[in-house]
Amino acid sequence: MQKRINRFHASLPLLCFARGMVVMLMAVSLVMFNRLGMGNGVATLVTSLFLLPLALRPFLSPVMETMGQRKWWMVLSLVLFGVTMYVVAENMTLFPDNWKMWVAFAVASIAGACFDAAAAENNRELLEKRNYGVLKAMVPCKLMAVVIVMGVMMLLAGNMEVVSRNIEESWTLAFKVATAIVLIIAFLLWAAVGKMSDTGRNVAVVEAWQQRKTAMADWWKADRRWLFALFVLFFPLHEFFLWRGTLLFLVDKGSIGGLSFSPQEMGFAFCTVATIIAMAGYVMGVECVRKNGLRKWCLVMALAFTLPDAIYVFLAYTMPSELWLVTVCLSVEQWCCGFGIVAFILYIMYGNGEVCEKVHLDMCWSLVIASIIISGCLTGVMQDYLGYRRFFIAVMAMAIIALCIAGWMAIKRKE
């Protein structure tokens, strides 16, 4: 039994990569819709709604735990996700009556949410007793999904646009390649977990739902829980605005304030180089906390997570055309983001020195996804109305407010 468990522990990087890949394929559709001619406001709204099922993890988890084995939920839902991505590739058009593509995206969103809910509990079990090795692996492996999925898809689609002069055909090929990657990961995951014992609970669905309902009610009734929930919801909000805004800013035309980069240039600068630098920042942040404790680095990490957003204000006003300069600027901000996010993650995961209860992690995940959805619904509208310069100034103001919220939370915690 121990050998089987260790075998699954060794597959943690693969599992984290798969979770990041599911989210990234939903996010890469933002650039695809932009290239196909959809307005930024509509594109950010639609792609944000794709993530809505991910916010339902507290309600999906009891189903994952009681209806069959959790390991097969992971494999089968990931296979379904890959199949629906292929359907999207075969129906690559923005015509309103193209119901097949929209249904495929809806099914993919639900399948991705089921996979994430089933996989989340396995990650939580590995986080017991502040396992810093697991912490180091989690986020970099998810960020590697950005490099492999978004980086490869942007480079492939961008090059195909140049060769074929057909945007729909280019993105069709990119999504077919992504489908192949998803199915390969599903096969590797099946090989890793296929011989594990059943990890589900022997509890009826109704009983599991009742237990989860009671646990969620108790979570919200805790002292100052509303304050903690607002912090989780609003502290990372500026970064989510920034992330989507950056994708559009890099590829939009110069006439509307964008940098007019090709998809492959954007894939190289933001989705590859800057993301790898973000991994390095995160690993360094975890190591700093491991050696000196979170209290010593909390303020530094909060500053690193917020103030470097000013780099995008600089880019919006200077509008450099040199790829190397933009790549350096994006890399600096992403390194700071990776370094600073460590404090936020640890604050959520370890409330009392040990890994928090499952309901706490699920509720925090839902709040973070809600933050992503809120920012996505508003990013395109704000960018269209304000323009990129004032948009990034607004994001910088949100970052300063987030820093003030973090300071206020620190004061309240000491009272």
Side-chain angles (χ1 to χ4, degrees):
M1 176 64 70
Q2 185 64 35
K3 183 178 180 181
R4 292 176 180 175
I5 294 176
N6 289 337
R7 183 184 181 187
F8 183 72
H9 285 196
S11 70
L12 174 67
L14 179 65
L15 188 60
C16 291
F17 175 83
R19 294 179 66 189
M21 180 177 57
V22 167
V23 178
M24 284 306 104
L25 277 175
M26 294 290 99
V28 78
S29 58
L30 173 62
V31 179
M32 179 194 75
F33 288 147
N34 175 275
R35 300 297 293 174
L36 291 175
M38 182 181 287
N40 288 345
V42 178
T44 55
L45 174 62
V46 170
T47 53
S48 297
L49 295 179
F50 289 162
L51 300 177
L52 186 59
L54 286 172
L56 303 178
R57 183 197 290 177
F59 306 98
L60 289 173
S61 292
V63 179
M64 302 296 106
E65 295 174 359
T66 56
M67 297 181 63
Q69 299 182 14
R70 193 167 62 221
K71 59 185 180 182
W72 297 121
W73 273 104
M74 289 189 293
V75 174
L76 295 177
S77 58
L78 195 58
V79 170
L80 178 59
F81 183 85
V83 171
T84 52
M85 287 296 99
Y86 181 81
V87 176
V88 169
E90 288 293 310
N91 297 273
M92 191 65 65
T93 176
L94 289 183
F95 291 141
D97 60 349
N98 183 20
W99 60 270
K100 291 182 180 179
M101 184 183 73
W102 302 114
V103 171
F105 267 123
V107 175
S109 300
I110 297 172
C114 291
F115 170 78
D116 187 81
E121 178 63 13
N122 291 302
N123 281 6
R124 193 194 74 84
E125 292 170 356
L126 298 176
L127 288 171
E128 301 288 351
K129 299 179 181 179
R130 286 184 181 265
N131 189 328
Y132 284 100
V134 173
L135 280 173
K136 278 186 180 181
M138 281 178 55
V139 172
C141 289
K142 291 180 182 179
L143 290 177
M144 185 56 67
V146 180
V147 176
I148 300 299
V149 177
M150 292 197 72
V152 169
M153 289 183 70
M154 297 299 176
L155 291 171
L156 180 60
N159 289 326
M160 282 299 298
E161 285 184 16
V162 174
V163 174
S164 68
R165 302 295 181 180
N166 189 314
I167 295 178
E168 292 182 1
E169 181 182 322
S170 302
W171 284 95
T172 295
L173 178 60
F175 267 81
K176 286 183 178 180
V177 170
T179 298
I181 296 174
V182 171
L183 295 180
I184 291 172
I185 296 300
F187 174 78
L188 295 176
L189 193 60
W190 169 80
V193 305
K195 295 184 178 180
M196 283 185 62
S197 59
D198 187 4
T199 53
R201 291 192 301 161
N202 188 21
V203 180
V205 177
V206 176
E207 183 180 351
W209 271 93
Q210 188 61 40
Q211 292 174 357
R212 176 50 62 93
K213 180 181 176 181
T214 302
M216 287 191 294
D218 293 340
W219 188 86
W220 279 107
K221 290 177 182 178
D223 185 36
R224 293 182 176 177
R225 184 67 73 192
W226 65 272
L227 185 63
F228 175 81
L230 289 176
F231 170 74
V232 174
L233 183 65
F234 289 107
F235 180 72
L237 191 65
H238 68 95
E239 192 63 33
F240 298 141
F241 271 104
L242 193 67
W243 196 84
R244 279 194 181 87
T246 301
L247 291 176
L248 297 173
F249 174 61
L250 293 175
V251 299
D252 266 341
K253 298 178 181 179
S255 58
I256 59 174
L259 295 184
S260 301
F261 281 7
S262 64
Q264 58 265 46
E265 288 175 322
M266 188 268 282
F268 170 78
F270 187 61
C271 301
T272 304
V273 177
T275 303
I276 292 174
I277 297 298
M279 295 182 203
Y282 176 82
V283 171
M284 181 174 291
V286 173
E287 190 64 21
C288 289
V289 172
R290 187 186 69 82
K291 290 182 177 180
N292 305 113
L294 180 59
R295 186 181 298 274
K296 181 177 180 179
W297 290 99
C298 191
L299 176 59
V300 176
M301 289 182 173
L303 291 172
F305 189 65
T306 53
L307 297 186
D309 289 4
I311 291 175
Y312 289 91
V313 178
F314 164 77
L315 291 175
Y317 273 90
T318 59
M319 296 187 66
S321 58
E322 299 87 353
L323 180 61
W324 70 267
L325 177 58
V326 175
T327 303
V328 169
C329 291
L330 297 178
S331 299
V332 170
E333 192 279 331
Q334 285 297 291
W335 185 94
C336 294
C337 177
F339 180 80
I341 197 67
V342 173
F344 180 71
I345 293 175
L346 289 177
Y347 183 69
I348 290 176
M349 286 186 172
Y350 298 103
N352 299 312
E354 297 181 357
V355 67
C356 294
E357 294 294 330
K358 177 175 173 54
V359 66
H360 172 83
L361 297 179
D362 285 349
M363 293 301 294
C364 289
W365 171 260
S366 294
L367 290 169
V368 171
I369 294 297
S371 182
I372 296 175
I373 294 172
I374 292 171
S375 64
C377 291
L378 298 177
T379 297
V381 176
M382 287 179 58
Q383 181 274 318
D384 288 338
Y385 181 74
L386 298 175
Y388 280 112
R389 292 180 176 179
R390 285 182 289 182
F391 170 78
F392 285 124
I393 291 175
V395 171
M396 186 65 216
M398 293 180 201
I400 294 174
I401 293 173
L403 186 60
C404 295
I405 291 174
W408 184 53
M409 284 289 295
I411 295 173
K412 287 291 183 180
R413 192 175 184 182
K414 292 179 181 179
E415 291 180 356

PDB file of all heavy atoms in Angstrom, residues 227-251:
ATOM      1  N   LEU A 227     -14.694  39.292   7.047  1.00  0.00           N
ATOM      2  CA  LEU A 227     -13.511  40.103   6.788  1.00  0.00           C
ATOM      3  C   LEU A 227     -12.469  39.296   6.019  1.00  0.00           C
ATOM      4  O   LEU A 227     -11.870  39.784   5.051  1.00  0.00           O
ATOM      5  CB  LEU A 227     -12.931  40.583   8.116  1.00  0.00           C
ATOM      6  CG  LEU A 227     -11.745  41.540   8.053  1.00  0.00           C
ATOM      7  CD1 LEU A 227     -12.141  42.835   7.367  1.00  0.00           C
ATOM      8  CD2 LEU A 227     -11.227  41.835   9.455  1.00  0.00           C
ATOM      9  N   PHE A 228     -12.274  38.065   6.428  1.00  0.00           N
ATOM     10  CA  PHE A 228     -11.329  37.193   5.739  1.00  0.00           C
ATOM     11  C   PHE A 228     -11.794  36.932   4.305  1.00  0.00           C
ATOM     12  O   PHE A 228     -10.990  36.932   3.368  1.00  0.00           O
ATOM     13  CB  PHE A 228     -11.198  35.878   6.507  1.00  0.00           C
ATOM     14  CG  PHE A 228     -10.337  34.857   5.822  1.00  0.00           C
ATOM     15  CD1 PHE A 228      -8.965  34.908   5.923  1.00  0.00           C
ATOM     16  CD2 PHE A 228     -10.911  33.842   5.059  1.00  0.00           C
ATOM     17  CE1 PHE A 228      -8.166  33.967   5.291  1.00  0.00           C
ATOM     18  CE2 PHE A 228     -10.130  32.898   4.428  1.00  0.00           C
ATOM     19  CZ  PHE A 228      -8.748  32.967   4.546  1.00  0.00           C
ATOM     20  N   ALA A 229     -13.096  36.699   4.111  1.00  0.00           N
ATOM     21  CA  ALA A 229     -13.636  36.429   2.781  1.00  0.00           C
ATOM     22  C   ALA A 229     -13.428  37.619   1.850  1.00  0.00           C
ATOM     23  O   ALA A 229     -13.076  37.453   0.679  1.00  0.00           O
ATOM     24  CB  ALA A 229     -15.125  36.074   2.873  1.00  0.00           C
ATOM     25  N   LEU A 230     -13.646  38.827   2.347  1.00  0.00           N
ATOM     26  CA  LEU A 230     -13.426  40.023   1.528  1.00  0.00           C
ATOM     27  C   LEU A 230     -11.959  40.162   1.140  1.00  0.00           C
ATOM     28  O   LEU A 230     -11.637  40.583   0.024  1.00  0.00           O
ATOM     29  CB  LEU A 230     -13.898  41.269   2.285  1.00  0.00           C
ATOM     30  CG  LEU A 230     -15.408  41.428   2.447  1.00  0.00           C
ATOM     31  CD1 LEU A 230     -15.718  42.668   3.296  1.00  0.00           C
ATOM     32  CD2 LEU A 230     -16.094  41.541   1.090  1.00  0.00           C
ATOM     33  N   PHE A 231     -11.074  39.802   2.066  1.00  0.00           N
ATOM     34  CA  PHE A 231      -9.645  39.862   1.768  1.00  0.00           C
ATOM     35  C   PHE A 231      -9.280  38.890   0.646  1.00  0.00           C
ATOM     36  O   PHE A 231      -8.582  39.259  -0.316  1.00  0.00           O
ATOM     37  CB  PHE A 231      -8.839  39.542   3.032  1.00  0.00           C
ATOM     38  CG  PHE A 231      -7.374  39.356   2.774  1.00  0.00           C
ATOM     39  CD1 PHE A 231      -6.562  40.438   2.506  1.00  0.00           C
ATOM     40  CD2 PHE A 231      -6.814  38.093   2.797  1.00  0.00           C
ATOM     41  CE1 PHE A 231      -5.200  40.270   2.258  1.00  0.00           C
ATOM     42  CE2 PHE A 231      -5.458  37.905   2.555  1.00  0.00           C
ATOM     43  CZ  PHE A 231      -4.655  39.007   2.289  1.00  0.00           C
ATOM     44  N   VAL A 232      -9.745  37.652   0.743  1.00  0.00           N
ATOM     45  CA  VAL A 232      -9.442  36.648  -0.278  1.00  0.00           C
ATOM     46  C   VAL A 232     -10.033  37.055  -1.627  1.00  0.00           C
ATOM     47  O   VAL A 232      -9.432  36.825  -2.679  1.00  0.00           O
ATOM     48  CB  VAL A 232      -9.982  35.266   0.153  1.00  0.00           C
ATOM     49  CG1 VAL A 232      -9.799  34.237  -0.962  1.00  0.00           C
ATOM     50  CG2 VAL A 232      -9.271  34.800   1.420  1.00  0.00           C
ATOM     51  N   LEU A 233     -11.196  37.681  -1.603  1.00  0.00           N
ATOM     52  CA  LEU A 233     -11.870  38.068  -2.834  1.00  0.00           C
ATOM     53  C   LEU A 233     -11.201  39.251  -3.522  1.00  0.00           C
ATOM     54  O   LEU A 233     -11.018  39.252  -4.746  1.00  0.00           O
ATOM     55  CB  LEU A 233     -13.334  38.396  -2.532  1.00  0.00           C
ATOM     56  CG  LEU A 233     -14.223  38.768  -3.731  1.00  0.00           C
ATOM     57  CD1 LEU A 233     -14.386  37.597  -4.677  1.00  0.00           C
ATOM     58  CD2 LEU A 233     -15.575  39.262  -3.239  1.00  0.00           C
ATOM     59  N   PHE A 234     -10.806  40.262  -2.740  1.00  0.00           N
ATOM     60  CA  PHE A 234     -10.375  41.523  -3.335  1.00  0.00           C
ATOM     61  C   PHE A 234      -8.861  41.724  -3.381  1.00  0.00           C
ATOM     62  O   PHE A 234      -8.379  42.496  -4.207  1.00  0.00           O
ATOM     63  CB  PHE A 234     -11.010  42.701  -2.588  1.00  0.00           C
ATOM     64  CG  PHE A 234     -12.475  42.839  -2.841  1.00  0.00           C
ATOM     65  CD1 PHE A 234     -13.397  42.498  -1.864  1.00  0.00           C
ATOM     66  CD2 PHE A 234     -12.933  43.288  -4.067  1.00  0.00           C
ATOM     67  CE1 PHE A 234     -14.760  42.613  -2.104  1.00  0.00           C
ATOM     68  CE2 PHE A 234     -14.290  43.407  -4.317  1.00  0.00           C
ATOM     69  CZ  PHE A 234     -15.211  43.066  -3.335  1.00  0.00           C
ATOM     70  N   PHE A 235      -8.087  41.050  -2.535  1.00  0.00           N
ATOM     71  CA  PHE A 235      -6.647  41.282  -2.546  1.00  0.00           C
ATOM     72  C   PHE A 235      -6.001  40.919  -3.883  1.00  0.00           C
ATOM     73  O   PHE A 235      -5.180  41.683  -4.409  1.00  0.00           O
ATOM     74  CB  PHE A 235      -5.976  40.520  -1.402  1.00  0.00           C
ATOM     75  CG  PHE A 235      -4.486  40.723  -1.348  1.00  0.00           C
ATOM     76  CD1 PHE A 235      -3.960  41.939  -0.937  1.00  0.00           C
ATOM     77  CD2 PHE A 235      -3.609  39.715  -1.725  1.00  0.00           C
ATOM     78  CE1 PHE A 235      -2.579  42.144  -0.902  1.00  0.00           C
ATOM     79  CE2 PHE A 235      -2.242  39.907  -1.684  1.00  0.00           C
ATOM     80  CZ  PHE A 235      -1.726  41.131  -1.278  1.00  0.00           C
ATOM     81  N   PRO A 236      -6.323  39.765  -4.500  1.00  0.00           N
ATOM     82  CA  PRO A 236      -5.672  39.436  -5.786  1.00  0.00           C
ATOM     83  C   PRO A 236      -6.408  40.005  -6.997  1.00  0.00           C
ATOM     84  O   PRO A 236      -6.010  39.746  -8.132  1.00  0.00           O
ATOM     85  CB  PRO A 236      -5.714  37.905  -5.802  1.00  0.00           C
ATOM     86  CG  PRO A 236      -6.968  37.566  -5.079  1.00  0.00           C
ATOM     87  CD  PRO A 236      -7.154  38.636  -4.027  1.00  0.00           C
ATOM     88  N   LEU A 237      -7.464  40.795  -6.782  1.00  0.00           N
ATOM     89  CA  LEU A 237      -8.306  41.252  -7.885  1.00  0.00           C
ATOM     90  C   LEU A 237      -7.509  42.036  -8.922  1.00  0.00           C
ATOM     91  O   LEU A 237      -7.690  41.860 -10.132  1.00  0.00           O
ATOM     92  CB  LEU A 237      -9.453  42.104  -7.337  1.00  0.00           C
ATOM     93  CG  LEU A 237     -10.575  42.463  -8.315  1.00  0.00           C
ATOM     94  CD1 LEU A 237     -11.326  41.213  -8.751  1.00  0.00           C
ATOM     95  CD2 LEU A 237     -11.547  43.454  -7.665  1.00  0.00           C
ATOM     96  N   HIS A 238      -6.607  42.895  -8.467  1.00  0.00           N
ATOM     97  CA  HIS A 238      -5.846  43.727  -9.393  1.00  0.00           C
ATOM     98  C   HIS A 238      -4.979  42.877 -10.324  1.00  0.00           C
ATOM     99  O   HIS A 238      -4.803  43.204 -11.507  1.00  0.00           O
ATOM    100  CB  HIS A 238      -4.967  44.708  -8.618  1.00  0.00           C
ATOM    101  CG  HIS A 238      -3.858  44.060  -7.851  1.00  0.00           C
ATOM    102  ND1 HIS A 238      -2.579  43.920  -8.342  1.00  0.00           N
ATOM    103  CD2 HIS A 238      -3.845  43.483  -6.617  1.00  0.00           C
ATOM    104  CE1 HIS A 238      -1.828  43.307  -7.449  1.00  0.00           C
ATOM    105  NE2 HIS A 238      -2.561  43.026  -6.398  1.00  0.00           N
ATOM    106  N   GLU A 239      -4.440  41.786  -9.807  1.00  0.00           N
ATOM    107  CA  GLU A 239      -3.580  40.929 -10.625  1.00  0.00           C
ATOM    108  C   GLU A 239      -4.381  40.212 -11.708  1.00  0.00           C
ATOM    109  O   GLU A 239      -3.891  40.002 -12.820  1.00  0.00           O
ATOM    110  CB  GLU A 239      -2.857  39.911  -9.749  1.00  0.00           C
ATOM    111  CG  GLU A 239      -1.732  39.167 -10.445  1.00  0.00           C
ATOM    112  CD  GLU A 239      -0.594  40.079 -10.891  1.00  0.00           C
ATOM    113  OE1 GLU A 239      -0.331  41.083 -10.191  1.00  0.00           O
ATOM    114  OE2 GLU A 239       0.007  39.785 -11.945  1.00  0.00           O
ATOM    115  N   PHE A 240      -5.612  39.854 -11.400  1.00  0.00           N
ATOM    116  CA  PHE A 240      -6.456  39.207 -12.403  1.00  0.00           C
ATOM    117  C   PHE A 240      -6.869  40.206 -13.493  1.00  0.00           C
ATOM    118  O   PHE A 240      -6.959  39.842 -14.668  1.00  0.00           O
ATOM    119  CB  PHE A 240      -7.689  38.591 -11.741  1.00  0.00           C
ATOM    120  CG  PHE A 240      -7.351  37.522 -10.742  1.00  0.00           C
ATOM    121  CD1 PHE A 240      -8.054  37.410  -9.546  1.00  0.00           C
ATOM    122  CD2 PHE A 240      -6.325  36.627 -10.975  1.00  0.00           C
ATOM    123  CE1 PHE A 240      -7.746  36.435  -8.626  1.00  0.00           C
ATOM    124  CE2 PHE A 240      -6.000  35.638 -10.055  1.00  0.00           C
ATOM    125  CZ  PHE A 240      -6.719  35.539  -8.877  1.00  0.00           C
ATOM    126  N   PHE A 241      -7.157  41.443 -13.114  1.00  0.00           N
ATOM    127  CA  PHE A 241      -7.385  42.487 -14.109  1.00  0.00           C
ATOM    128  C   PHE A 241      -6.150  42.636 -14.998  1.00  0.00           C
ATOM    129  O   PHE A 241      -6.241  42.748 -16.224  1.00  0.00           O
ATOM    130  CB  PHE A 241      -7.680  43.822 -13.424  1.00  0.00           C
ATOM    131  CG  PHE A 241      -9.131  44.070 -13.133  1.00  0.00           C
ATOM    132  CD1 PHE A 241      -9.631  43.930 -11.846  1.00  0.00           C
ATOM    133  CD2 PHE A 241     -10.005  44.458 -14.136  1.00  0.00           C
ATOM    134  CE1 PHE A 241     -10.974  44.166 -11.567  1.00  0.00           C
ATOM    135  CE2 PHE A 241     -11.349  44.693 -13.872  1.00  0.00           C
ATOM    136  CZ  PHE A 241     -11.835  44.540 -12.582  1.00  0.00           C
ATOM    137  N   LEU A 242      -5.003  42.654 -14.354  1.00  0.00           N
ATOM    138  CA  LEU A 242      -3.745  42.877 -15.063  1.00  0.00           C
ATOM    139  C   LEU A 242      -3.444  41.748 -16.039  1.00  0.00           C
ATOM    140  O   LEU A 242      -2.996  41.986 -17.167  1.00  0.00           O
ATOM    141  CB  LEU A 242      -2.608  43.009 -14.043  1.00  0.00           C
ATOM    142  CG  LEU A 242      -1.278  43.554 -14.552  1.00  0.00           C
ATOM    143  CD1 LEU A 242      -1.428  44.999 -14.952  1.00  0.00           C
ATOM    144  CD2 LEU A 242      -0.206  43.411 -13.489  1.00  0.00           C
ATOM    145  N   TRP A 243      -3.699  40.519 -15.629  1.00  0.00           N
ATOM    146  CA  TRP A 243      -3.350  39.364 -16.457  1.00  0.00           C
ATOM    147  C   TRP A 243      -4.136  39.375 -17.762  1.00  0.00           C
ATOM    148  O   TRP A 243      -3.558  39.257 -18.850  1.00  0.00           O
ATOM    149  CB  TRP A 243      -3.616  38.075 -15.683  1.00  0.00           C
ATOM    150  CG  TRP A 243      -2.944  36.876 -16.271  1.00  0.00           C
ATOM    151  CD1 TRP A 243      -1.653  36.474 -16.068  1.00  0.00           C
ATOM    152  CD2 TRP A 243      -3.520  35.926 -17.173  1.00  0.00           C
ATOM    153  NE1 TRP A 243      -1.398  35.332 -16.781  1.00  0.00           N
ATOM    154  CE2 TRP A 243      -2.514  34.972 -17.466  1.00  0.00           C
ATOM    155  CE3 TRP A 243      -4.782  35.789 -17.743  1.00  0.00           C
ATOM    156  CZ2 TRP A 243      -2.746  33.892 -18.312  1.00  0.00           C
ATOM    157  CZ3 TRP A 243      -5.009  34.712 -18.602  1.00  0.00           C
ATOM    158  CH2 TRP A 243      -3.999  33.781 -18.868  1.00  0.00           C
ATOM    159  N   ARG A 244      -5.449  39.534 -17.675  1.00  0.00           N
ATOM    160  CA  ARG A 244      -6.260  39.570 -18.898  1.00  0.00           C
ATOM    161  C   ARG A 244      -5.961  40.818 -19.716  1.00  0.00           C
ATOM    162  O   ARG A 244      -5.889  40.770 -20.947  1.00  0.00           O
ATOM    163  CB  ARG A 244      -7.746  39.525 -18.552  1.00  0.00           C
ATOM    164  CG  ARG A 244      -8.279  38.129 -18.250  1.00  0.00           C
ATOM    165  CD  ARG A 244      -9.796  38.154 -18.253  1.00  0.00           C
ATOM    166  NE  ARG A 244     -10.360  36.861 -17.949  1.00  0.00           N
ATOM    167  CZ  ARG A 244     -10.595  36.420 -16.727  1.00  0.00           C
ATOM    168  NH1 ARG A 244     -10.276  37.161 -15.698  1.00  0.00           N
ATOM    169  NH2 ARG A 244     -11.148  35.230 -16.531  1.00  0.00           N
ATOM    170  N   GLY A 245      -5.813  41.952 -19.026  1.00  0.00           N
ATOM    171  CA  GLY A 245      -5.509  43.179 -19.744  1.00  0.00           C
ATOM    172  C   GLY A 245      -4.206  43.093 -20.503  1.00  0.00           C
ATOM    173  O   GLY A 245      -4.079  43.634 -21.610  1.00  0.00           O
ATOM    174  N   THR A 246      -3.228  42.391 -19.936  1.00  0.00           N
ATOM    175  CA  THR A 246      -1.932  42.240 -20.606  1.00  0.00           C
ATOM    176  C   THR A 246      -2.050  41.419 -21.885  1.00  0.00           C
ATOM    177  O   THR A 246      -1.447  41.746 -22.911  1.00  0.00           O
ATOM    178  CB  THR A 246      -0.920  41.583 -19.651  1.00  0.00           C
ATOM    179  OG1 THR A 246      -0.783  42.390 -18.482  1.00  0.00           O
ATOM    180  CG2 THR A 246       0.438  41.438 -20.317  1.00  0.00           C
ATOM    181  N   LEU A 247      -2.815  40.329 -21.834  1.00  0.00           N
ATOM    182  CA  LEU A 247      -3.020  39.512 -23.029  1.00  0.00           C
ATOM    183  C   LEU A 247      -3.569  40.347 -24.180  1.00  0.00           C
ATOM    184  O   LEU A 247      -3.105  40.263 -25.320  1.00  0.00           O
ATOM    185  CB  LEU A 247      -3.966  38.350 -22.724  1.00  0.00           C
ATOM    186  CG  LEU A 247      -3.451  37.237 -21.801  1.00  0.00           C
ATOM    187  CD1 LEU A 247      -4.552  36.222 -21.530  1.00  0.00           C
ATOM    188  CD2 LEU A 247      -2.232  36.549 -22.390  1.00  0.00           C
ATOM    189  N   LEU A 248      -4.558  41.196 -23.865  1.00  0.00           N
ATOM    190  CA  LEU A 248      -5.162  42.030 -24.904  1.00  0.00           C
ATOM    191  C   LEU A 248      -4.238  43.174 -25.304  1.00  0.00           C
ATOM    192  O   LEU A 248      -4.150  43.533 -26.486  1.00  0.00           O
ATOM    193  CB  LEU A 248      -6.502  42.580 -24.396  1.00  0.00           C
ATOM    194  CG  LEU A 248      -7.577  41.533 -24.082  1.00  0.00           C
ATOM    195  CD1 LEU A 248      -8.778  42.188 -23.428  1.00  0.00           C
ATOM    196  CD2 LEU A 248      -7.994  40.790 -25.348  1.00  0.00           C
ATOM    197  N   PHE A 249      -3.556  43.761 -24.314  1.00  0.00           N
ATOM    198  CA  PHE A 249      -2.661  44.889 -24.569  1.00  0.00           C
ATOM    199  C   PHE A 249      -1.541  44.512 -25.536  1.00  0.00           C
ATOM    200  O   PHE A 249      -1.158  45.299 -26.409  1.00  0.00           O
ATOM    201  CB  PHE A 249      -2.084  45.362 -23.230  1.00  0.00           C
ATOM    202  CG  PHE A 249      -1.028  46.417 -23.342  1.00  0.00           C
ATOM    203  CD1 PHE A 249      -1.296  47.646 -23.920  1.00  0.00           C
ATOM    204  CD2 PHE A 249       0.254  46.194 -22.842  1.00  0.00           C
ATOM    205  CE1 PHE A 249      -0.316  48.626 -24.005  1.00  0.00           C
ATOM    206  CE2 PHE A 249       1.238  47.153 -22.930  1.00  0.00           C
ATOM    207  CZ  PHE A 249       0.951  48.384 -23.517  1.00  0.00           C
ATOM    208  N   LEU A 250      -1.024  43.312 -25.420  1.00  0.00           N
ATOM    209  CA  LEU A 250       0.097  42.902 -26.255  1.00  0.00           C
ATOM    210  C   LEU A 250      -0.309  42.659 -27.705  1.00  0.00           C
ATOM    211  O   LEU A 250       0.494  42.890 -28.618  1.00  0.00           O
ATOM    212  CB  LEU A 250       0.747  41.653 -25.682  1.00  0.00           C
ATOM    213  CG  LEU A 250       1.471  41.815 -24.334  1.00  0.00           C
ATOM    214  CD1 LEU A 250       1.963  40.471 -23.828  1.00  0.00           C
ATOM    215  CD2 LEU A 250       2.632  42.798 -24.450  1.00  0.00           C
ATOM    216  N   VAL A 251      -1.528  42.180 -27.939  1.00  0.00           N
ATOM    217  CA  VAL A 251      -1.917  41.811 -29.305  1.00  0.00           C
ATOM    218  C   VAL A 251      -2.814  42.837 -29.981  1.00  0.00           C
ATOM    219  O   VAL A 251      -2.994  42.768 -31.201  1.00  0.00           O
ATOM    220  CB  VAL A 251      -2.621  40.431 -29.319  1.00  0.00           C
ATOM    221  CG1 VAL A 251      -1.697  39.349 -28.818  1.00  0.00           C
ATOM    222  CG2 VAL A 251      -3.905  40.454 -28.501  1.00  0.00           C
TER     223      VAL A 251
END
